[in-house]
Amino acid sequence: MTLSEIEATVLDHWLRYHRSTVSKWSAGDLERQAAAVAQLADAELQALERIGVDRVIAWPDVRNQMVLKAPPEISS
């Protein structure tokens, strides 16, 4: 998964399953938060690659533990 694919997965999950939370956010906040989660997930994938775990093999675990989560609470 590329960074943009991870971010798209985050956005899809939030808009599908947590719409009531993210609908209160501005478009900019939504993009920034999704990008931050995607960057953290990508960093985790890179760390796993450095210890020899294939990115494709690691993706399902990283996705389930870091990406398919409720969005963070942010104050407006």
Side-chain angles (χ1 to χ4, degrees):
M1 297 294 285
T2 65
L3 185 58
S4 60
E5 290 171 326
I6 297 169
E7 187 173 344
T9 302
V10 171
L11 286 169
D12 178 67
H13 177 73
W14 287 354
L15 291 171
R16 187 178 302 220
Y17 298 105
H18 303 283
R19 184 171 291 278
S20 63
T21 300
V22 298
S23 66
K24 300 171 192 167
W25 298 355
S26 70
D29 284 340
L30 179 60
E31 290 293 325
R32 279 189 293 281
Q33 293 296 325
V37 169
Q39 289 171 354
L40 287 171
D42 187 60
E44 181 69 12
L45 287 168
Q46 290 176 23
L48 290 168
E49 281 182 303
R50 284 193 295 277
I51 62 167
V53 179
D54 184 84
R55 190 175 179 92
V56 173
I57 300 299
W59 169 240
D61 288 331
V62 171
R63 180 194 62 215
N64 292 339
Q65 292 182 15
M66 300 182 77
V67 174
L68 301 183
K69 297 291 184 184
E73 294 294 325
I74 62 172
S75 54
S76 333

